[in-house]
Each structure stands twice: as C-alpha cells, then as structure tokens.
C-alpha cells in the first residue's frame, strides 16, 4: 500500500515524510503520517482506511462525522475553547471531499493529529478515568439538542443486545468453523444470561428510556487525555455516533476502563472489576450528565455496565465462532481470549451490583431524595 500516494490526495500542509501504523483500534487501519513543513519542522496527521466490511456506507458515515464535529466546533469556539483539540477535525481532499476512494475501492480519510494528548489502553491513573467520565458526560451535554433524526445509522442495531444474542445463537447452531465444542463453558455462561440481553431493548421499546445522541463506542482508548492537565480533552472514533441510550456510553466506558488488565489478557487472575475506578468514572460522569438523566436511566447505570460488558463478550464469542470476520485479530484465539475477559468482568460485576448501585446514589445530584 503506497500511503504517500493516498495521502497526497488530501489538502494537508507540508511534504509527506513517513507513515507508521498507529494505535490499537479493532476496526479501521490507522496510520500516523508525518509531513515536513516549509520551515523544516514536522507535523502529524492521522490517515485512516475505513473498514468497509463493518461500515457499509463510509461516505455517509463521514458525513455524520463532518456534521457532528462542525456542531461541536461551533459550541467550543463560542466558549473560547480550542476546536482543534476539543474534537476531531477532518482534512478534506484536494477536490473538497471528506473521503478519498482509491482505485481498489478503499475509503480513506485524514484527521488533524491531536498532539500532547494520549489515548491509553488501560487506565494508568484513577484521575484520568474520572476525567474520562467528565468527557463522556460533556459529550452527551454537547449533543443534547443535536437533531438526532438527521444522523445516518452507520451500523443498524449496533447495541440491540437482544439481536446480538440471537446472532450468537445462530453462530452456535451453524458452528461453521467447528469451534463450538471448544467453548462449552463460554456458551453456557452466555445462554444463562439470555434474559439480561432483553432488558434495555425492552425499556427502550416501552418508552421508559429516552433516545439521545450517543457515541456508542466509549472505550477508554477513544478518549483523548490531555498530557499536561490529565483532563479528558475529547472523544475520538466518532464512527458510531448515532441515536442511542446514555446507558450504552456509561456502560461501555466501565466495561473497558474498570479492568486493570488488557482486554485480551490470557491470565484471567489479572482480570478484575475495579470498584475504585468505577467510582472515579461515575463521579465524573454524573457531575456532567447527572442533572439531565431520568430516574430510570440512573437506576439502570450499574446494570448497563454489566450488560455492555456482556454484549461485548458475546460479540467476541460470535466472531470467534464465525471465523474472526469482524474484529481484527493478531493470534488464532484472540477473540476467544477477549470473550473470556469480558465474561470474567460480568461475573465480578454481578457480585458487586449492590456496591455499584450505592456508589451511583452517592454522586447523583440530590441523590439522597432519589
Ligand atoms: P478504530 O475504529 O480502529 O478504533 P480509532 O479512530 O479509534 O480507530 O483510531 C485508533 C487510534 O488512533 C486511537 O485509539 C488513537 O490512539 C489514535 N487516534 C485516532 N484519531 C486520532 C487523532 N485525531 N489524534 C491523535 N490520535 C488519534
Ligand atoms: C471496537 O473501534 P474500536 O476498537 O474503538 C468496536 C466496539 C467494541 C470494541 C471492543 C465499530 O471498538 O463496539 O466495543 O471494539 N467498534 C465497532 O474493544 O464495532
Ligand atoms: Mg477506537
């Protein structure tokens, strides 16, 4: 792949110097491109090949991102913030488009590189996770009046856990890779929790939970933490910004951040649900979003952490059974290892549910009266 050739289609500043694979995302192909500016200094950009197996319409997806980032940029500018750091900035092609399609039908985009900030794989300092909570609560607030109906649904039913469960059942029945026999305990673990998978979908269908504009992929490495202040600068990876539940964003953050080990850790004794980190995140999130949440949303926050973790676990298990077609893998049983960490966390959360609820009520605005 000649990344120089791809990159030269974009109207970025400077002269292409190098491109390196970058980050640890499971979906897109991401590169850090360094250019040389006329004064000899360097500048970086993010170049991404959008995964068109996962995202069926990359052009409309990037239109969403253009619209959402423009909306955020205007609010940030009004508050005298720095729009180049407080949200993603697309760099258009020389023809003024947001996406370049190469001769092989690959879809590419370029972002301004957010410097002096880090997307951590695991939480290294609890304050970072508190600030991630604030950033996710802030994101919800920023988009509270965004016209949700104008957003293109980049992956239909993305967090429909009931349909995710049905997909798992189909994968078990088909067993096309003959792997089901190897994962008996994981399949039983999932099947025992079938009813859980229906809860949030049911509440949404019955109008008990409000549909909002949500990020839908709030894992910790999609939050940029400012290197100087330790604050949550902004959310990146906006491919799945769509109408959704606040609970998806809260729950997925807890899933990814409250595990001190890696998402694909093989040694499950290292994988634990960290209640202290949960408390840090909950405090930050509720400081920002607490006022806007309904009683039912608040009530289901602890459960959402468990269900988003369960959903992720069954997605990894389904992909393992289907032959690893969705998530990028770097070793043969990678998706199975990922599934196991998620199920371990689910089991831990089930044991801690009462404490998780207590913590929420400690930080809910006016919590004592709830
Ligand atoms: P994926 O969908 O594959 O997860 P992401 O859009 O999250 O792809 O990008 C992968 C990684 O690249 C992120 O976790 C982050 O480390 C880095 N990254 C993405 N966009 C930027 C940006 N604008 N500035 C700096 N780093 C970025
Ligand atoms: C994927 O794109 P990335 O790596 O930030 C996935 C999420 C999963 C996550 C699990 C579009 O996130 O839904 O929760 O992996 N994104 C998509 O690590 O499927
Ligand atoms: Mg990502």
């Amino acid at each position: 792949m000649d990344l120089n050739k791809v990159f030269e289609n974009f109207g970025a500043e400077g002269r292409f110097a190098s491109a390196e694979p970058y980050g640890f995302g499971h979906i897109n192909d991401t590169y850090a491109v360094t250019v040389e500016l006329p004064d000899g200094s360097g500048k970086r950009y993010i170049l991404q090949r959008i995964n068109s197996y996962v995202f069926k319409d990359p052009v409309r997806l990037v239109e969403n991102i253009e619209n959402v980032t423009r909306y955020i940029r205007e609010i940030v500018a009004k508050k005298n913030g720095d729009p180049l750091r407080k949200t993603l900035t697309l760099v258009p092609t020389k023809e003024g488009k947001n996406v370049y399609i190469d001769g092989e039908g690959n879809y590419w985009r370029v972002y301004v590189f957010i410097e002096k900030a880090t997307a951590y794989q695991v939480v290294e300092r609890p304050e970072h996770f508190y600030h991630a909570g604030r950033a996710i609560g802030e994101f919800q607030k920023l988009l509270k009046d965004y016209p949700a109906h104008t957003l293109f649904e980049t992956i239909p039913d993305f967090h429909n856990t009931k349909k995710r469960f049905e997909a798992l059942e189909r994968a078990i029945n088909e067993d096309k890779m003959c792997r089901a026999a190897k994962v008996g305990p994981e399949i039983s673990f999932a099947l025992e929790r079938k009813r859980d998978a229906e809860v949030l979908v049911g509440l949404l269908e019955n109008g008990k939970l409000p549909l909002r504009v949500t990020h839908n992929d709030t894992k910790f490495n999609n939050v940029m933490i400012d290197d100087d202040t330790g604050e949550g600068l902004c959310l990146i990876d906006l491919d799945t910004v769509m109408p959704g539940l606040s609970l998806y964003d809260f729950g997925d953050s807890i899933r990814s951040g409250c595990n001190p080990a890696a998402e694909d850790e093989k040694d499950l004794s290292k994988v634990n649900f960290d209640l202290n980190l949960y408390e840090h995140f909950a405090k930050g999130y509720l400081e920002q979003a607490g006022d806007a949440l309904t009683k039912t949303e608040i009530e289901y926050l602890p459960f959402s952490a468990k269900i988003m973790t369960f959903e992720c676990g069954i997605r990894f298990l389904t992909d393992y059974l289907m032959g690893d077609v969705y998530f990028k893998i770097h070793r043969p049983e990678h998706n199975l290892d990922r599934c196991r960490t998620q199920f371990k966390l689910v089991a831990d959360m089930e044991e801690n549910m009462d404490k998780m609820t207590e913590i929420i009520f400690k930080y809910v605005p006016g919590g004592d009266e709830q």
Side-chain angles (χ1 to χ4, degrees):
M1 185 74 60
D2 190 344
L3 295 171
N4 183 3
K5 272 219 140 20
V6 173
F7 189 74
E8 72 185 13
N9 291 283
F10 289 86
E13 282 183 277
R15 197 176 52 80
F16 180 94
S18 63
E20 306 289 335
Y22 192 79
F24 298 88
H26 292 344
I27 303 294
N28 298 305
D29 292 335
T30 303
Y31 303 89
V33 171
T34 305
V35 299
E36 193 186 310
L37 298 179
D39 68 2
S41 63
K43 178 174 171 150
R44 291 197 289 179
Y45 290 93
I46 286 283
L47 169 67
Q48 275 183 329
R49 180 167 62 171
I50 303 171
N51 184 327
S52 54
Y53 174 82
V54 165
F55 299 111
K56 304 298 180 204
D57 192 339
V59 172
R60 289 187 73 192
L61 174 151
V62 180
E63 252 169 52
N64 267 1
I65 297 182
E66 187 193 358
N67 291 331
V68 167
T69 54
R70 188 192 314 113
Y71 187 89
I72 295 177
R73 198 171 305 125
E74 282 168 10
I75 300 177
V76 169
K78 272 191 205 138
K79 292 184 184 162
N80 294 320
D82 180 353
L84 289 173
R85 285 174 71 69
K86 290 293 288 178
T87 191
L88 287 173
T89 307
L90 284 161
V91 176
T93 65
K94 287 177 177 157
E95 293 179 346
K97 303 237 163 55
N98 284 319
V99 177
Y100 166 68
I101 307 172
D102 70 19
E104 288 161 26
N106 295 304
Y107 293 80
W108 297 88
R109 69 180 162 209
V110 169
Y111 288 122
V112 168
F113 197 106
I114 301 172
E115 299 284 359
K116 293 189 186 158
T118 304
Y120 292 93
Q121 296 314 303
V122 291
V123 176
E124 293 178 7
R125 292 171 47 190
E127 314 87 85
H128 287 168
F129 204 40
Y130 158 75
H131 283 296
R134 287 186 60 91
I136 284 152
E138 183 190 21
F139 187 82
Q140 186 176 310
K141 277 208 309 207
L142 279 168
L143 295 178
K144 75 176 180 2
D145 296 322
Y146 190 92
H149 65 278
T150 63
L151 281 170
F152 166 63
E153 210 178 349
T154 56
I155 303 180
D157 291 317
F158 189 53
H159 285 311
N160 185 324
T161 317
K162 188 171 177 218
K163 290 201 176 164
R164 295 286 188 189
F165 196 90
E166 288 160 6
L168 171 64
E169 288 178 318
R170 278 196 302 278
I172 297 169
N173 290 335
E174 281 175 29
D175 194 17
K176 61 201 271 194
M177 307 300 291
C178 303
R179 291 177 171 178
K182 288 177 77 174
V183 292
E186 287 74 19
I187 290 176
S188 304
F189 185 93
L191 296 182
E192 281 160 21
R193 287 159 182 79
K194 181 175 178 144
R195 291 281 158 262
D196 285 340
E198 296 165 8
V199 174
L200 295 187
V201 181
L203 289 166
L204 180 60
E205 280 171 2
N206 297 329
K208 301 255 165 62
L209 286 169
L211 207 55
R212 302 181 184 274
V213 174
T214 48
H215 182 282
N216 297 306
D217 188 1
T218 48
K219 77 181 189 190
F220 191 52
N221 73 4
N222 288 330
V223 182
M224 298 300 290
I225 302 290
D226 189 307
D227 288 344
D228 291 333
T229 64
E231 287 175 12
L233 250 189
C234 64
L235 303 199
I236 56 169
D237 201 347
L238 302 177
D239 296 337
T240 51
V241 174
M242 289 183 280
L245 299 179
S246 58
L247 298 173
Y248 300 155
D249 285 359
F250 179 85
D252 197 60
S253 295
I254 299 300
R255 169 193 84 72
S256 76
C258 291
N259 170 20
E263 187 180 69
D264 57 1
E265 175 60 59
K266 278 170 156 307
D267 179 355
L268 290 182
S269 71
K270 295 184 180 155
V271 176
N272 298 296
F273 173 65
D274 186 323
L275 203 59
N276 177 44
L277 290 178
Y278 171 85
E279 177 155 2
H280 274 78
F281 186 92
K283 180 172 187 290
Y285 177 77
L286 289 169
E287 278 172 8
Q288 286 287 333
D291 285 332
L293 297 178
T294 67
K295 246 182 132 170
T296 311
E297 286 179 297
I298 290 167
E299 185 188 334
Y300 279 89
L301 286 171
F303 178 79
S304 77
K306 167 180 154 176
I307 207 59
M308 295 307 290
T309 311
F310 180 62
E311 182 190 280
C312 197
I314 62 176
R315 288 176 64 197
F316 288 142
L317 183 56
T318 305
D319 202 29
Y320 177 72
L321 292 170
M322 299 285 288
D324 311 302
V325 289
Y326 185 97
F327 296 103
K328 283 188 195 171
I329 56 159
H330 307 289
R331 54 180 190 251
E333 297 200 335
H334 211 163
N335 273 316
L336 178 57
D337 294 337
R338 291 169 175 153
C339 158
R340 287 180 171 149
T341 63
Q342 302 306 292
F343 285 178
K344 170 75 182 356
L345 290 169
V346 168
D348 275 9
M349 288 183 203
E350 286 175 346
E351 295 205 341
N352 281 284
M353 213 32 86
D354 290 346
K355 290 185 199 132
M356 289 164 74
T357 302
E358 259 172 49
I359 288 170
I360 294 298
F361 284 100
K362 189 165 152 193
Y363 295 106
V364 163
D368 297 342
E369 301 117 55
Q370 296 275 335

